[in-house]
Amino acid sequence: MPFPATRMRRLRGTDTFRALVRETELSPAHLIMPAFVIAGEGIREEIPSMPGVERYSISNLVEHAGEVVAAGIGTMLIFGIPADKDEVGSGAYDDEGIVQMAVRALKEAHPDLTVITDVCLCEYTSHGHCGIPDADGKIQNDLSVELIAKTAISHADAGADAVAPSDMMDGRVGAIRFQLDEEGHPDVPILAYSAKYSSAFYGPFRDAAESTPGFGDRRGYQMDPSNAAEAVREAELDLEEGADMLMVKPATPYMDIIRRVKEATGAPLAAYHVSGEYSALKAAALNGWLDERQAVLETLTGIRRAGADAIITYYAKEAAGWLQ
Ligand code: PBG
């Protein structure tokens, strides 16, 4: 029945009515806090292109994790920045590597914190690519997958609660699942960066992780921003290979992808609100151009409404504070 019988504003009139009919919920339980751990001691340094985000050495990371947990966030995603890099990213699959040591320290200090590790080679390779290049600079898929699977196993051995491959090589989810099962980790889930786009919004992360490619770019393995049907295929392949949870990344420029992947697969889905999305909001907020709290909560609610179950965001700790 049209107006005046129907008045959409009736249920917008009070907080109670609005809460009764709210379709999307956002709570700290949906948020995952990423963190960078760097080799060394007593380090806590701000990332210039990501105000409010710091890189921590292990003991400082453990302290930071305590604050994250106290804010009501139960899950962190860990990225490592090693002291040394080489052509084959040896630091990534070193049992005494930066992430492996950080995971042990985190789990010892905060046994209830769920620790997910980013599994990739780009922070550990001298050329900054997510795999191993051949003589012509092309990233070799199958060789890279072997090293990536090895990395995932060493993270699980160190106590990671889940592993998240972000390299976009073909077949890596299957290889990781097979080896996790072989090596006694049948219960460690895989959060697959399924639809990871070749995005300008990773710029600040690459400063933070020192992982800008030394030559070329990542378009030979990350997805073309113009494609959507391909994201659904990626998601389906990852599920067939044994992914437990999927990811779309970045989030806000790819809301349609979040929706499509969720509807096509019905699988648990995370969206990564990446470094550049964080920095854009933070810069506007620092300039007084946006109300930070409202803009951030609106953004995160939008990502949930699009279909994401979980959101990885550098705002997780702050947002948890606002939501409480
Ligand atoms: C590593 C990786 C990247 C991000 C997450 N894992 C960078 C990249 O692919 O260049 C980006 C995260 C962010 O921008 O916050 N492969």
Side-chain angles (χ1 to χ4, degrees):
M1 266 200 287
F3 177 83
T6 300
R7 289 182 185 267
M8 296 301 284
R9 292 181 52 191
R10 286 188 196 117
L11 294 180
R12 292 180 198 149
T14 67
D15 275 345
T16 318
F17 275 138
R18 286 190 293 268
L20 277 176
V21 298
R22 188 158 293 135
E23 298 176 41
T24 305
E25 253 189 276
L26 177 69
S27 86
H30 300 121
L31 305 178
I32 298 174
M33 182 77 189
F36 300 100
V37 57
I38 187 161
E41 298 227 0
I43 302 171
R44 199 187 155 149
E45 55 192 19
E46 183 136 314
I47 300 154
S49 54
M50 300 179 76
V53 179
E54 291 168 300
R55 311 199 292 191
Y56 302 100
S57 53
I58 291 176
S59 60
N60 303 71
L61 175 74
V62 168
E63 198 183 310
H64 167 65
E67 294 164 14
V68 171
V69 170
I73 301 292
T75 309
M76 292 182 76
L77 175 64
I78 306 301
F79 294 91
I81 305 151
D84 303 301
K85 304 179 187 238
D86 62 26
E87 287 284 301
V88 291
S90 315
Y93 37 89
D94 178 350
D95 286 334
E96 300 301 315
I98 181 72
V99 165
Q100 290 82 352
M101 295 198 303
V103 168
R104 284 187 211 109
L106 281 171
K107 291 301 295 185
E108 191 180 308
H110 309 291
D112 294 336
L113 174 71
T114 295
V115 176
I116 307 179
T117 55
D118 182 86
V119 174
C120 199
L121 301 181
C122 64
E123 298 98 335
Y124 305 88
T125 50
S126 42
H127 42 74
H129 276 286
C130 305
I132 309 303
D134 65 16
D136 301 324
K138 187 178 175 210
I139 304 307
Q140 306 174 70
N141 191 84
D142 301 10
L143 171 61
S144 303
V145 165
E146 266 177 51
L147 301 180
I148 285 158
K150 209 165 146 177
T151 302
I153 305 315
S154 81
H155 290 181
D157 285 343
D161 295 295
V163 292
S166 65
D167 52 284
M168 289 300 278
M169 299 298 131
D170 287 316
R172 91 273 206 216
V173 172
I176 292 171
R177 183 73 271 154
F178 179 79
Q179 290 198 29
L180 282 173
D181 291 354
E182 289 277 291
E183 303 292 332
H185 299 295
D187 292 328
V188 171
I190 301 173
L191 165 57
Y193 286 71
S194 302
K196 177 174 178 180
Y197 285 88
S198 179
S199 172
F201 287 91
Y202 307 149
F205 173 97
R206 292 178 189 173
D207 290 345
E210 299 167 359
S211 65
T212 305
F215 64 87
D217 54 45
R218 300 206 208 287
R219 286 181 297 176
Y221 39 102
Q222 297 181 350
M223 281 186 57
D224 181 339
S226 304
N227 295 355
E230 185 187 342
V232 173
R233 284 193 73 202
E234 283 281 8
E236 283 166 348
L237 286 168
D238 284 353
L239 286 172
E240 278 168 33
E241 289 179 31
D244 298 278
M245 191 160 179
L246 307 174
M247 193 197 300
V248 171
K249 175 183 173 190
T252 48
Y254 297 92
M255 296 291 221
D256 58 322
I257 309 299
I258 296 172
R259 165 53 56 118
R260 279 216 209 189
V261 167
K262 186 64 176 179
E263 284 188 347
T265 65
L269 179 63
Y272 199 144
H273 184 246
V274 302
S275 57
E277 299 176 88
Y278 170 87
S279 298
L281 280 170
K282 190 55 107 179
L286 289 173
N287 274 293
W289 297 337
L290 280 178
D291 179 321
E292 185 173 32
R293 175 185 168 141
Q294 285 190 37
V296 169
L297 294 180
E298 180 179 337
T299 299
L300 299 178
T301 300
I303 296 168
R304 289 266 303 143
R305 192 192 60 239
D309 299 297
I311 306 172
I312 301 159
T313 174
Y314 302 94
Y315 269 116
K317 182 176 150 227
E318 255 177 304
W322 294 328
L323 288 167
Q324 237 126 62

